[in-house]
Amino acid sequence: MTTEVKVPDLPESVADATLVNWHKKVGDYVEAGENLVDLETDKVVLDLPSPVGGILKAIKQEDGSTVTGGDVVAIIEAAEKPAADAAPANTEAAPPTAAPTAAKAESGDKNASPAARKMAVENQVNVADVAGSGRGGRVTKADMKQHIAGGGSRHEERVAMTRLRKRIAERLLEAQHSTAMLTTFNEVNMKPIMDLRKKYQDQFVAKNDIKLGFMSFFVKAAVAALKEWPAVNASIDGDDIIYHNYQDIGIAVSSPRGLVVPILRNAETLGFADIEAGIRDFAVKAKNTTLSIEEMTGGTFTITNGGTFGSMMSTPILNPPQSAILGMHNIVDRPVVENGEIVIRPMMYLALSYDHRIIDGREAVGFLVSIKNAIEDPARLLLGV
């Protein structure tokens, strides 16, 4: 008996998906629930698990194919799992002869895409000798091209944008073309929260099993500032302005496929430990490309931290339909004046990009000042003042 492997129904916000990186090839045995191929959408990469255990009899859609919900991508033939010492099942007759170079190219190819394996055979390359850049070290077609071209020689390569990268590009252009974007800056003395973290870090870790970072302070400060300046937490819908009485904070996180922005829902209800745990989970999921569409949908305000890469200052671009985004940067010891004296303090530049159509300069500056005051006097976050 055979079973069709179909693309599941996609969320309403996702029209179609692209197949990337088949993890099995025809003739392989697959367990029920084992991931066959990755489905890349505009937002996330999803697994497509096998509905049954058996032999992968046919692949109907190759790497790079665009599919929609209900499309058949593979056929599984019901079969018992082969014994460990038995020859693997194969539904296709073996060719009467096999070229030695082809056999060599097939060795070690379990973690290579079908296109990469085909190139290996055609160019007499051992796949095991090729460094893979795909998920889990999978050898892609691009990896094979680069290996064949020669690691040290001059060459160029044309690679199609991933769906996520194309969507990022579209949204960035949309933000610049459809909003009256402006950026204002301020600087903040990080010494108070650095001293606070140093004093209570051990106790915080012992109680919550997670480190106290800077981001939780900025999320808490942003929540307080958004309540004080509601226009910064608003969005435009046609001729209407939508004011949100909740704070869903997007946290920009790097992933192997580009920048993603998962959402801390109802951040106004979260404590420091909850925020740190949420951000840690986002980072792990982003690295493993397991963030769900739901985790990246919505949001009323975004925080991005270029300081993790050494950025001194930047003008972050809005994440539509949000009306503002806060940019954090690296911390640098700089001379500042306090009480008429020059002292050295760990300083950070802050940048707020905002849609000038609904946020005035007074509100933007006021919002940044509120952030600055909360970070430089963290007791405000506890007292709500």
Side-chain angles (χ1 to χ4, degrees):
M1 185 181 70
T2 60
T3 300
E4 294 180 333
V5 181
K6 297 182 178 180
V7 176
D9 291 336
L10 300 172
E12 292 183 4
S13 60
V14 177
D16 51 34
T18 300
L19 297 180
V20 290
N21 294 336
W22 276 95
H23 299 291
K24 295 289 184 177
K25 66 179 184 295
V26 171
D28 285 350
Y29 181 83
V30 295
E31 300 277 3
E34 186 176 4
N35 185 31
L36 294 173
V37 64
D38 298 332
L39 288 173
E40 185 180 52
T41 73
D42 295 342
K43 298 180 178 180
V44 296
V45 177
L46 307 172
D47 290 346
L48 182 55
S50 175
V52 296
I55 303 299
L56 180 58
K57 184 177 180 63
I59 291 177
K60 298 293 187 180
Q61 303 279 358
E62 294 291 344
D63 281 356
S65 300
T66 299
V67 295
T68 59
D71 287 354
V72 177
V73 299
I75 303 293
I76 303 292
E77 185 174 52
E80 295 294 330
K81 184 175 183 179
D85 57 349
N90 195 328
T91 60
E92 297 182 348
T97 58
T101 54
K104 178 184 178 184
E106 287 294 328
S107 64
D109 67 349
K110 294 295 185 182
N111 199 27
S113 70
R117 292 197 301 271
K118 181 180 178 182
M119 290 185 65
V121 173
E122 293 173 348
N123 293 274
Q124 304 180 19
V125 173
N126 188 344
V127 178
D129 295 335
V130 182
S133 63
R135 186 176 182 181
R138 188 173 178 80
V139 177
T140 66
K141 183 178 180 180
D143 296 330
M144 188 61 66
K145 282 183 177 180
Q146 183 173 351
H147 181 84
I148 293 170
S153 61
R154 287 168 55 89
H155 68 280
E156 295 180 349
E157 181 180 3
R158 184 183 297 271
V159 179
M161 281 188 182
T162 64
R163 293 176 65 97
L164 178 58
R165 174 55 60 186
K166 285 191 287 188
R167 184 56 179 155
I168 291 172
E170 291 169 1
R171 289 180 67 83
L172 293 177
L173 287 174
E174 176 189 349
Q176 290 186 314
H177 293 162
S178 63
T179 64
M181 193 167 63
L182 186 65
T183 304
T184 188
F185 302 91
N186 209 322
E187 62 179 357
V188 59
N189 178 5
M190 296 292 290
K191 189 175 188 304
I193 64 171
M194 292 175 73
D195 290 344
L196 196 64
R197 288 177 68 237
K198 183 177 180 180
K199 182 176 181 180
Y200 294 105
Q201 184 71 274
D202 292 343
Q203 297 175 50
F204 188 89
V205 172
K207 181 178 180 179
N208 302 295
D209 195 29
I210 192 170
K211 288 185 177 182
L212 179 61
F214 293 133
M215 187 61 79
S216 55
F217 285 94
F218 279 92
V219 170
K220 296 289 283 186
V223 165
L226 291 171
K227 291 179 179 179
E228 184 179 358
W229 304 97
V232 184
N233 198 45
S235 59
I236 292 180
D237 184 13
D239 294 330
D240 299 326
I241 299 176
I242 301 176
Y243 292 93
H244 309 284
N245 70 343
Y246 54 88
Q247 287 77 42
D248 285 352
I249 308 297
I251 306 295
V253 180
S254 293
S255 79
R257 287 183 168 88
L259 190 70
V260 293
V261 187
I263 310 299
L264 284 172
R265 308 285 179 191
N266 297 311
E268 71 278 6
T269 67
L270 302 179
F272 283 85
D274 298 323
I275 295 170
E276 294 292 348
I279 295 173
R280 177 188 61 186
D281 291 345
F282 287 157
V284 172
K285 289 182 177 181
K287 181 179 179 180
N288 297 329
T289 65
T290 56
L291 284 166
S292 68
I293 292 176
E294 291 74 18
E295 287 174 313
M296 294 198 295
T297 301
T300 62
F301 182 77
T302 294
I303 301 176
T304 180
N305 185 7
T308 57
F309 305 108
S311 171
M312 183 185 76
M313 186 179 292
S314 66
T315 56
I317 299 178
L318 297 178
N319 185 21
Q322 298 172 23
S323 297
I325 178 172
L326 178 68
M328 299 165 54
H329 300 91
N330 63 344
I331 301 170
V332 177
D333 285 341
R334 292 201 301 271
V336 296
V337 177
E338 288 184 358
N339 301 319
E341 295 183 354
I342 298 176
V343 295
I344 303 298
R345 293 289 182 260
M347 305 298 293
M348 175 193 288
Y349 287 121
L350 298 179
L352 181 74
S353 293
Y354 59 97
D355 190 342
H356 211 345
R357 293 178 299 169
I358 62 172
I359 301 173
D360 295 330
R362 180 185 69 89
E363 294 167 314
V365 173
F367 177 87
L368 269 186
V369 170
S370 295
I371 296 286
K372 175 182 173 69
N373 290 339
I375 297 299
E376 293 186 344
D377 187 5
R380 291 173 177 266
L381 299 175
L382 302 177
L383 300 176
V385 297

